[in-house]
Amino acid sequence: MERIEFRGVFPAIITPMTPEGALNEEAFRRVVEFNIQAGVQGFWVAGGTGESVLLEDEENMRLAEIAADQSGGRAINIMHVGAATTARAAKLAEHAARVGVESICCVPPFFYGRTDEEIVEHYRVVAAAADLPLFVYNLPSSTGVEITPRLMQKIQEKVPQLAGLKHSAPSFVHVHTFAEMGLCCLIGSCRLMLPALAGGANGCVDGPPNMLPELWVDIWKAYLDGDWPRAAAAQKKARDTFDDIASIGGGFHALVKAALSERLGIDCGAPRLPAAPLTDEQRTALGRRLRELGLVGGQ
C-alpha cells in the first residue's frame, strides 16, 4: 500500500439529492470543488453526514466514483463502506479501491451485539477486500459499539491495513491513547478540533466544515504555523459561526444541505426520508443569516 499522510481538515460531505430524492451528481461535484478550492485536505464520503445508511449500495458506489473523479488527486477521499453485513461492506470496499479512492472507513457491525472477535473479523475481511488504508469509524451513539483502545489493539493486531480512526466517542482522553498506539486519530467533533490536535489528533472529520470549509482551514493553517492565539481565535469563530447558523432550527442534514444550496447557488435537495427538510420560514431565516455573516453575496 502507498503511504498517505492523513492530516488536516476532512469535511464529512453531504449527499445532495434531486427534488425527486435521487442522487444529484452535479451538485455533489460542486460541493466537492467548493471545498477543494477552500483548501481542505480531503473528504469523508458517505459517512453520517452523507446519509450512507439511507442510501442504496449502488448510490454509495456512485459517490465513490464521483469523489475520485472530481478530486483528481487534489484531495484524499476516505470512502465509508460500512454496512450491516460483512459481505455488503466488503463489496463496497472492493469497489472503492477499484474506482480510485485513497482510503476506506467503516463503522463496526451494528444492531446486533457482537463480540470483539466478530468485530475484528469483520474489519479483517472488509480491509482485505480493498487493501487500502482503513479507518475505523468510532460512533457509539449511532452504532451502539464503542471502539475502546483495548478493542482497537485487537483490530490493530489482525488488520494490517489499519491506518487509524475517526473518533466520535465521548471519551476525549482516548485521543492521546490512540496517538500513542501509532494510529491516525481524526477527531469527529469540529468544535474540539484544536484541543484534539494539541492532544495528538491528526485532524478533524465532521459535517459543519463542508458548509464552512474556510473557517476550519483557518484553524489548520494557524496550527501549522504554531500560532496558538490565532488558532484559538479561528476555532472560536468557526464554532460560533456554526452555532449561530444552527440556532435557526431544523435537523442537521437539512440545515447543512440548505446552507450549501445558499452558498453555492444550487439545489442540494432535502435529506432522505424520514428526515424533514427545513420549513420555508427556516430557509428564509437561514438565507438572511448567511448574508448577514457575509457568507453569501448581497443583503
Side-chain angles (χ1 to χ4, degrees), residues 155-171:
I155 298 170
Q156 195 173 29
E157 290 170 355
K158 299 290 186 179
V159 183
Q161 297 88 354
L162 181 68
L165 76 159
K166 176 187 175 183
H167 186 53
S168 297
S171 47

Side-chain angles (χ1 to χ4, degrees), residues 13-15 17 44-61 63 79-83 88 92 105-107 110 137 139 253 272:
I13 195 166
I14 63 166
T15 299
M17 305 289 182
W44 189 267
V45 183
T49 300
E51 303 174 89
S52 66
V53 296
L54 304 179
L55 303 178
E56 302 294 336
D57 287 353
E58 292 73 21
E59 292 174 313
N60 277 296
M61 290 178 179
L63 287 173
M79 180 69 201
H80 181 245
V81 300
R88 281 181 58 208
L92 292 170
C105 57
C106 187
V107 291
F110 49 88
Y137 192 173
L139 188 65
H253 292 92
R272 185 154 283 180

Side-chain angles (χ1 to χ4, degrees), residues 267-286:
D267 184 7
C268 292
R272 185 154 283 180
L273 292 173
L278 297 188
T279 65
D280 291 342
E281 293 79 9
Q282 288 169 335
R283 286 198 73 113
T284 298
L286 173 63

Side-chain angles (χ1 to χ4, degrees), residues 177-211:
T177 305
F178 290 130
E180 286 188 324
M181 293 170 66
L183 297 170
C184 173
C185 183
L186 301 172
I187 191 68
S189 173
C190 59
R191 289 177 175 83
L192 297 173
M193 177 174 167
L194 187 60
L197 291 171
N202 296 72
C204 174
V205 172
D206 204 356
N210 89 138
M211 72 182 228

Side-chain angles (χ1 to χ4, degrees), residues 254-268:
L255 180 75
V256 176
K257 286 188 173 188
L260 277 162
S261 296
E262 291 281 345
R263 295 202 70 188
L264 276 63
I266 60 177
D267 184 7
C268 292

Side-chain angles (χ1 to χ4, degrees), residues 15-230:
T15 299
M17 305 289 182
T18 67
E20 297 75 29
L23 175 62
N24 188 329
E25 298 189 5
E26 182 55 34
F28 183 67
R29 289 182 182 275
R30 289 282 301 278
V31 176
V32 169
E33 191 61 33
F34 169 66
N35 276 266
I36 290 175
Q37 294 303 318
V40 305
Q41 282 66 50
F43 298 99
W44 189 267
V45 183
T49 300
E51 303 174 89
S52 66
V53 296
L54 304 179
L55 303 178
E56 302 294 336
D57 287 353
E58 292 73 21
E59 292 174 313
N60 277 296
M61 290 178 179
R62 185 61 185 143
L63 287 173
E65 294 166 3
I66 299 170
D69 179 64
Q70 188 65 33
S71 296
R74 297 174 297 159
I76 299 167
N77 288 295
I78 306 174
M79 180 69 201
H80 181 245
V81 300
T85 70
T86 303
R88 281 181 58 208
K91 178 183 73 173
L92 292 170
E94 187 278 329
H95 174 267
R98 180 157 37 86
V99 301
V101 303
E102 290 81 5
S103 178
I104 59 170
C105 57
C106 187
V107 291
F110 49 88
F111 192 82
Y112 297 104
R114 298 299 181 190
T115 66
D116 285 3
E117 290 69 29
E118 289 171 327
I119 292 169
V120 171
E121 179 64 8
H122 176 81
Y123 278 119
R124 187 195 67 77
V125 173
V126 172
D131 199 27
L132 290 175
L134 168 74
F135 281 80
V136 169
Y137 192 173
N138 192 14
L139 188 65
S141 61
S142 295
T143 64
V145 179
E146 180 169 1
I147 307 296
T148 63
R150 178 176 173 274
L151 177 52
M152 183 61 85
Q153 185 175 14
K154 294 181 180 180
I155 298 170
Q156 195 173 29
E157 290 170 355
K158 299 290 186 179
V159 183
Q161 297 88 354
L162 181 68
L165 76 159
K166 176 187 175 183
H167 186 53
S168 297
S171 47
F172 190 80
V173 67
H174 289 164
V175 170
H176 183 66
T177 305
F178 290 130
E180 286 188 324
M181 293 170 66
L183 297 170
C184 173
C185 183
L186 301 172
I187 191 68
S189 173
C190 59
R191 289 177 175 83
L192 297 173
M193 177 174 167
L194 187 60
L197 291 171
N202 296 72
C204 174
V205 172
D206 204 356
N210 89 138
M211 72 182 228
L212 299 165
E214 66 272 37
L215 301 186
W216 270 271
V217 169
D218 284 347
I219 301 169
W220 179 245
K221 288 180 177 177
Y223 168 75
L224 289 180
D225 289 343
D227 190 336
W228 285 93
R230 190 174 109 229

